[in-house]
Amino acid sequence: MNRTIPLILAVALFMEQMDSTVIATSLPAIAADIGTSPITLKLALTSYFVALAIFIPISGWMADRFGAKRVFRIAIGVFVVGSIFCAFANSLEAFVGSRFLQGMGGAMMTPVGRLVLVRATRRDQLVSAMAWLTVPALIGPLIGPPVGGFITTYFTWHWIFLINVPIGVLGIIVAGRVLPEMPGGIAAPIDWRGFTLAALAAAGIVFGLSVVSLPALPPVVGVATLVIGTVASVLYVRHSRATLSPILDLRLFDNPVPRIAILSGSIFRIGVGATPFLLPLMFQLAFGLDAFQSGLLTFASAIGAISLKFFATRALRAFGFRTVLLIAVIGGASLIAVNGFFTPATPYAVIIGTLIVAGFLRSLFFTSNNALVFAEIDDSQASQATAIAAVSQQISIALGVAVAGMLLEAHHLWTGEPIGLDAFSFAFFAVGGLAALAILPILGLSHTAGRTVSGHGLTRHKDDQASLPGA
C-alpha cells in the first residue's frame, strides 16, 4: 500500500484535531477575555459542528464537479482563513462566526480526503489505510492540550489559532505536489432542495439542543430551532426516497452493514464528543488546575489512541468486526463514566492510566467502525457513504457537546448549586450510559460482516472449501 497519500491527507485531520483540543483546553481563558462564560462559549464549538453538518453533504458533489484534489486544497485555505479570524475575534459573535467559517473549510477537508483514500485503496487494505490516515492526525490531540495550555497560560490564547497557518500552508503545497489528479466535471446536477432541507435539519437540531439551556439566549430560541430541524428531517427523508439523485442518498441504509456502522458510531460519538468538553472544564473549574496543567492530563488519551493503530488490523483479523466493536463499546463507555469518580485527590497516575486505556478503546472502535462503513459497498457508493458517515459523525459529536452543557446546566437548576465537581460527575455518568447504547445496533451485526476487509475467518473458510469432496 502506498502510505504517502494517507499521510498527506492526514494534514487535514491533524489541523482539525489539534484545533478542537486546543479550544477545549482554552475555553475559560477565551471566555474571560471576550466577556462571556465557558458554558456559553460552547456555542462557538457548536457553530463549527453546525457548519460541518451543513456543508459536508455537498463535499462529495464538489469533489466530483471540480476535482477532489482542488477542493481539498481550497478547503485547507478556507480553514486557515477562519483560524486567523478566530485569533482576532474580540466578541462572542465574532468568535462564533469565525468558527463557522473554519467549519466550512473542515466540511470539505476530511470527507474529500477520506474519499480520495477509499477510491485509491483495495478493500483488503482498507483497515491499514485508515490506520495510516489517522496516526498523524492523532498527534493533534497528543500535543494540542499541553501546547494550547502552555500558550494560554504563559502567552495569550490568540496564538493557538495561528498555529494552523504554517501547517495549512505546508499542507496546500505538499498536497499539490503529491496527491493524484482526480479531474472533475462528472457530477450530476446538485439537489438544491435536498441540500436546503438537510442543512435546516442538521443546523436546527444541533443548534437547538445547544442553545436551549444557554443563559445568553431565551429558551424559546432553542425550542423553535429544534422544531424546525425536526420537521426538516422528516421532509428530507421523504424527499430522499422520492428523488433519483438526492444530496444524501438514504437508500444506503437498505444495506444493514453500513446502517449498523453509522448508527452505532453516531451513538458512541455522543459520549466521545462530550468528553473533550467536560474533562478540561472539570480539571480547571473543579480541580483548580490551570490550562497547561489540564492539558498535560488530557493529552494522555491520545497516547492510547496512537498505540492502537498498530493493533487494529490484527484484532479484526482474529475476532471480526462484531466482537471487536462490542468490546470497544463496553470498555470505552465504562471508562467515560469512570471520569465521574475523579476528584482533586485522585492520583495523577490513575487519571493518566485511565485516559490512556480509554483512548486505546476509543480508537479501536473508530478505526473498526470507519472501515466497516465501506466494507460491503461498491465503489460507486463510496461518495455517498463518505458524506453520510461524515455528517452523522459531526452531528453526533456536536450533540455530545450540547448534551454535556445541558447536563451541567440541568444539575445546577435541580440542585441550585454552582457548577462544580458533583455536576461533572453527574454529566460523565450520563454520557457514559448514553455511549453504551451503541451496543444495541451492533448486536444485530452478522459475525461474518466485513470479512473481506477484516480477513477474519477467511483462511479457515478457504481451508474448509479445499477439504470438500472434488475440491
Side-chain angles (χ1 to χ4, degrees):
M1 182 188 66
N2 183 359
R3 295 170 181 172
T4 305
I5 292 177
L7 290 175
I8 296 303
L9 297 174
V11 170
L13 287 176
F14 175 87
M15 285 201 301
E16 282 198 276
Q17 294 293 328
M18 175 84 166
D19 197 74
S20 61
T21 52
V22 163
I23 290 178
T25 304
S26 306
L27 274 181
I30 299 174
D33 198 31
I34 65 177
T36 187
S37 70
I39 305 301
T40 302
L41 196 59
K42 77 171 185 177
L43 189 60
L45 301 179
T46 302
S47 68
Y48 180 84
F49 293 125
V50 168
L52 291 177
I54 291 175
F55 293 102
I56 281 175
I58 64 171
S59 61
W61 182 87
M62 293 283 287
D64 291 339
R65 176 66 179 84
F66 301 106
K69 178 178 176 178
R70 178 185 300 173
V71 172
F72 180 73
R73 298 177 72 203
I74 292 174
I76 295 177
V78 172
F79 187 88
V80 168
V81 171
S83 298
I84 295 173
F85 285 175
C86 284
F88 291 97
N90 56 8
S91 67
L92 176 63
E93 294 77 12
F95 193 72
V96 169
S98 300
R99 287 289 289 165
F100 189 86
L101 181 60
Q102 274 189 310
M104 292 176 63
M108 301 293 170
M109 282 196 306
T110 304
V112 172
R114 187 177 290 118
L115 178 60
V116 171
L117 184 67
V118 170
R119 287 179 172 173
T121 305
R122 298 203 321 260
R123 287 295 183 268
D124 61 341
Q125 297 180 339
L126 191 56
V127 175
S128 180
M130 288 290 182
W132 278 101
L133 176 64
T134 53
V135 165
L138 289 170
I139 298 175
L142 179 65
I143 68 174
V147 169
F150 179 83
I151 293 174
T152 302
T153 302
Y154 298 106
F155 295 94
T156 173
W157 62 266
H158 305 81
W159 288 97
I160 64 178
F161 295 101
L162 299 178
I163 294 175
N164 291 329
V165 176
I167 298 172
V169 171
L170 180 63
I172 293 172
I173 294 173
V174 176
R177 295 181 178 178
V178 175
L179 292 186
E181 294 292 343
M182 292 187 174
I186 59 174
I190 192 169
D191 173 25
W192 286 112
R193 182 181 180 186
F195 170 71
T196 302
L197 289 174
L200 286 174
I205 292 174
V206 174
F207 184 79
L209 286 175
S210 298
V211 305
V212 71
S213 61
L214 283 181
L217 295 172
V220 67
V221 175
V223 174
T225 52
L226 269 174
V227 171
I228 293 173
T230 302
V231 172
S233 299
V234 174
L235 293 177
Y236 182 80
V237 171
R238 296 176 58 184
H239 168 79
S240 172
R241 294 291 180 178
T243 303
L244 182 62
S245 300
I247 192 74
L248 292 174
D249 193 350
L250 300 184
R251 287 181 286 262
L252 180 73
F253 290 138
D254 294 339
N255 185 331
V257 174
R259 181 179 69 241
I260 291 172
I262 292 173
L263 179 59
S264 62
S266 298
I267 296 172
F268 190 69
R269 276 187 179 87
I270 295 177
V272 172
T275 302
F277 174 77
L278 291 171
L279 267 181
L281 286 181
M282 182 176 73
F283 289 149
Q284 294 178 61
L285 300 182
F287 284 27
L289 304 180
D290 62 34
F292 183 44
Q293 293 169 325
S294 170
L296 289 176
L297 286 177
T298 56
F299 91 101
S301 62
I303 297 176
I306 289 176
S307 65
L308 176 278
K309 296 307 172 184
F310 307 101
F311 174 79
T313 302
R314 285 175 290 183
L316 288 171
R317 184 178 297 116
F319 303 106
F321 278 104
R322 187 178 188 272
T323 300
V324 168
L325 288 173
L326 285 174
I327 292 173
V329 168
I330 294 171
S334 299
L335 289 178
I336 290 175
V338 165
N339 292 327
F341 292 107
F342 293 159
T343 71
T346 303
Y348 289 161
V350 173
I351 296 176
I352 291 173
T354 301
L355 295 182
I356 288 175
V357 178
F360 178 90
L361 291 170
R362 179 193 66 199
S363 189
L364 176 62
F365 177 86
F366 288 132
T367 297
S368 306
N369 184 267
N370 290 340
L372 184 62
V373 171
F374 303 97
E376 296 189 4
I377 63 173
D378 299 327
D379 285 343
S380 60
Q381 297 176 295
S383 178
Q384 278 294 327
T386 299
I388 293 175
V391 168
S392 65
Q393 289 171 14
Q394 300 305 334
I395 289 179
S396 57
I397 293 174
L399 289 177
V401 176
V403 168
M406 290 176 64
L407 289 170
L408 294 177
E409 287 292 331
H411 186 274
H412 168 65
L413 292 175
W414 291 339
T415 64
E417 301 174 356
I419 295 176
L421 190 58
D422 289 342
F424 286 105
S425 295
F426 167 72
F428 276 120
F429 296 151
V431 297
L434 184 59
L437 295 178
I439 293 173
L440 299 180
I442 296 173
L443 290 175
L445 191 66
S446 168
H447 288 278
T448 60
R451 173 181 286 180
T452 56
V453 171
S454 68
H456 175 62
L458 283 183
T459 302
R460 182 176 59 191
H461 178 71
K462 292 178 181 178
D463 292 341
D464 293 341
Q465 290 291 327
S467 64
L468 292 175

